[in-house]
Amino acid sequence: MATYRHKITTSEVPTALLSPVTGEAGLTVVFGTSPINMGDIANVNEPVLAYTYAEAVKKLGYVPARQIAGTNEKPIKIFDYTISEAIDSHFSKFNVAPLIMVNVLNPATHKTSITDEVVALADGIGNVIKSGAVLSTVVVKNAAEVATVNVDYILTFTIDGLIQINAIDGKELDGVASVTVSYDYLDPTKVTAADIVGGIDPTTFKRKGLELLDEVFPRFRLVPGTVIAPGFSTDNSVSVVLKSKVKNINSVFRAEAIIDIDTATVIDYTKVPEAKENAGLSDTALIVAWPRVALSGTQYHLSTQLASLMHLTDSENGDVPYASPSNKNLSADSAVLESGAEVWLDVNQAEYLNSQGIVTALNFIGGWKAWGNETSAYPATSDVKERFIPVRRMFNWIGNTLVTTFWNRLDYPLNKRQVETIQDSANDWLNSLVAQGYLLGGRVEFLRAENPDTGLLDGASVFHVYLAAPTPNGDIEFKLEYDTSYLQALFG
């Protein structure tokens, strides 16, 4: 018997159109070395998220670039810690956020010991020579007597990452001219390509190095857009794994990796394409860059600044990666080799590198700019979605967004309502991208030919996404012609 009803009721159904879940399209994940607060082992081989410079420094420490050669007028400065380089580029030079950092430098193994270093004290204050000293290992002696920390002296860090010894008035070191200090310091030179590549610990089963790329989304609900390993990506073992990892993050997402060509061994621009091919770097998932850039003598790997620039370009365009970073300003006043020698490319030379799938730096009109629209797959492929950086990134981003948007529709009953909800919602979103100029066109279809009975009976559905992203207008020609009809102007 039907339930008797004599009333007005209401009920609700799920919204048919789903708003897309959008994230930071240019989100950079950097793998490298950090002073990790000068000895904090907690942030080793663990993804760390930061939205501000202060947050990044608090979580992973920071040591500025140090001068290694040159003069005050023409210095050569380098970052000993590659994550410090990324922090400086991202937050200070391009003012973009967030940044995800994975430090592989382990204080337990990547260290060097200093014994009886003489430190002069001026007014009771002196600094050790090496940055990254581990506080817990510091031993200070006055002659043969061991002084007591927090009783005879206090240890602090300088802005350059050096340990500062501060003598306490009236105690053991008061009035002493010098002390001898022994300590362990973090040694980033001991970090190898194998540490960056990482793997799975056979004992703890914890991920290390590049394997941690798969933990980014589960931890932060952010999809990686760009992955870099400045200072290490010149090693083939790193670039090969990077190429593989960014194509299959969590088995559902895609990103781009930016690889540097070594400027210590490849010093002639004509040799860069050969180095690229010999290293097997021709792939749509890779952006290959050469040389380095510098600002006031401080060197940056081009991959570092290019990642920051791509993030900035996206943020200026509604967080949509449809615009190329090419012909956009770098934070640089020179292009350099590792030796500090300046590189001056003219348009033809830069064009040659671009024609070989290499992004470079050009100072022509408007200051130093990134120059190049092609992924490293070019010229081996002319497929528009594999060749152009912004088109490739748009395909990555649209695919990633579709995954995050419709993940909650998994396991729904495969009926007409399910098909229409996905199709209509996706088309609504693509139409909005077209209306804003981010796409030339886009649509989603549920085709019978791609959904045979066998697949449907197995619970599988296929939605065909057609889209056309605008290509970068990298070639503009003006045709000049003398029009004799204008001679009539001579006669009023």
Side-chain angles (χ1 to χ4, degrees):
M1 178 178 176
T3 302
Y4 178 81
R5 296 168 63 108
H6 185 195
K7 57 188 175 183
I8 297 175
T9 62
T10 63
S11 62
E12 296 184 1
V13 296
T15 304
L17 293 179
L18 306 176
S19 299
V21 179
T22 58
E24 290 76 2
L27 176 68
T28 298
V29 182
V30 55
F31 290 82
T33 57
S34 175
I36 50 172
N37 295 325
M38 316 311 171
D40 182 4
I41 201 167
N43 286 331
V44 178
N45 276 305
E46 182 173 317
V48 173
L49 171 66
Y51 277 87
T52 66
Y53 175 89
E55 184 184 7
V57 173
K58 181 179 180 180
K59 290 179 175 178
L60 282 181
Y62 176 84
V63 173
R66 64 181 175 87
Q67 185 167 331
I68 60 170
T71 64
N72 289 333
E73 293 76 21
K74 205 74 170 179
I76 301 175
K77 300 178 183 177
I78 63 167
F79 286 93
D80 290 320
Y81 299 92
T82 56
I83 291 179
S84 291
E85 176 185 325
I87 290 172
D88 181 81
S89 175
H90 234 58
F91 295 111
S92 298
K93 299 302 181 290
F94 289 88
N95 193 28
V96 291
L99 177 67
I100 293 178
M101 305 158 286
V102 180
N103 166 62
V104 303
L105 188 153
N106 191 333
T109 54
H110 303 127
K111 64 180 180 178
T112 297
S113 298
I114 295 290
T115 303
D116 294 336
E117 175 185 299
V118 177
V119 176
L121 301 182
D123 297 325
I125 298 175
N127 300 335
V128 302
I129 296 175
K130 294 291 186 180
S131 67
V134 181
L135 277 175
S136 60
T137 66
V138 176
V139 176
V140 178
K141 293 181 181 179
N142 175 25
E145 296 295 323
V146 177
T148 304
V149 65
N150 297 328
V151 174
D152 300 316
Y153 64 93
I154 297 172
L155 296 178
T156 58
F157 282 106
T158 71
I159 193 172
D160 294 325
L162 302 176
I163 281 186
Q164 185 174 89
I165 301 167
N166 304 270
I168 297 176
D169 292 343
K171 298 297 181 178
E172 176 73 20
L173 303 185
D174 189 10
V176 173
S178 66
V179 293
T180 56
V181 184
S182 300
Y183 57 93
D184 293 340
Y185 70 91
L186 304 177
D187 192 347
T189 65
K190 291 189 174 182
V191 176
T192 66
D195 294 312
I196 296 292
V197 171
I200 306 294
D201 189 298
T203 303
T204 64
F205 302 105
K206 291 188 65 176
R207 294 183 177 95
K208 294 183 178 181
L210 292 175
E211 289 296 322
L212 287 161
L213 192 58
D214 283 328
E215 289 191 10
V216 170
F217 187 79
R219 284 174 178 265
F220 309 117
R221 293 300 184 268
L222 297 172
V223 180
T226 308
V227 183
I228 59 174
F232 297 96
S233 63
T234 54
D235 189 290
N236 285 359
S237 64
V238 173
S239 61
V240 166
V241 176
L242 264 175
K243 177 174 63 176
S244 173
K245 295 298 293 183
V246 297
K247 289 180 179 179
N248 195 31
I249 302 170
N250 301 118
S251 79
V252 294
F253 300 125
R254 287 191 61 150
E256 292 294 293
I258 310 178
I259 305 294
D260 293 295
I261 297 293
D262 186 15
T263 61
T265 57
V266 185
I267 61 176
D268 182 348
Y269 82 96
T270 64
K271 303 298 183 183
V272 179
E274 179 183 358
K276 171 198 160 187
E277 294 306 313
N278 288 343
L281 299 179
S282 181
D283 196 277
T284 186
L286 300 180
I287 299 169
V288 171
W290 183 92
R292 297 186 182 189
V293 292
L295 180 65
S296 299
T298 298
Q299 293 190 7
Y300 299 83
H301 295 88
L302 188 50
S303 63
T304 304
Q305 285 217 5
L306 191 56
S308 301
L309 178 59
M310 287 162 61
H311 196 147
L312 177 62
T313 302
D314 296 346
S315 67
E316 292 174 340
N317 291 285
D319 199 27
V320 180
Y322 90 116
S324 174
S326 184
N327 207 18
K328 306 290 193 305
N329 284 100
L330 296 162
S331 186
D333 55 22
S334 59
V336 296
L337 303 174
E338 183 178 319
S339 65
E342 294 187 341
V343 177
W344 294 94
L345 300 178
D346 63 27
V347 173
N348 291 332
Q349 293 167 331
E351 185 180 54
Y352 167 69
L353 291 179
N354 295 166
S355 73
Q356 301 302 308
I358 297 156
V359 177
T360 189
L362 180 67
N363 183 35
F364 195 64
I365 295 176
W368 283 95
K369 299 189 177 188
W371 200 255
N373 292 306
E374 277 75 20
T375 70
S376 69
Y378 189 77
T381 180
S382 59
D383 185 334
V384 65
K385 72 179 179 65
E386 311 295 342
R387 167 189 176 183
F388 288 118
I389 292 171
V391 178
R392 178 65 261 164
R393 295 186 68 222
M394 280 295 285
F395 268 73
N396 291 351
W397 178 72
I398 287 174
N400 294 343
T401 304
L402 290 172
V403 169
T404 55
T405 300
F406 295 107
W407 190 265
N408 67 339
R409 299 298 303 189
L410 275 175
D411 302 327
Y412 267 61
L414 181 49
N415 53 24
K416 192 171 182 62
R417 183 178 184 83
Q418 167 81 335
V419 171
E420 289 178 345
T421 297
I422 294 175
Q423 188 173 7
D424 292 347
S425 300
N427 277 322
D428 186 65
W429 175 56
L430 291 175
N431 288 337
S432 72
L433 295 178
V434 173
Q436 296 174 85
Y438 299 138
L439 286 178
L440 301 179
R443 71 185 189 279
V444 177
E445 295 185 3
F446 187 72
L447 303 175
R448 185 68 176 100
E450 295 180 350
N451 289 276
D453 292 348
T454 53
L456 296 173
L457 289 172
D458 202 34
S461 60
V462 176
F463 293 86
H464 198 123
V465 182
Y466 298 86
L467 60 94
T471 59
N473 188 190
D475 182 11
I476 300 174
E477 179 181 359
F478 291 96
K479 289 189 175 182
L480 307 181
E481 178 183 350
Y482 194 99
D483 190 337
T484 58
S485 67
Y486 289 124
L487 293 175
Q488 186 62 32
L490 297 173
F491 304 98

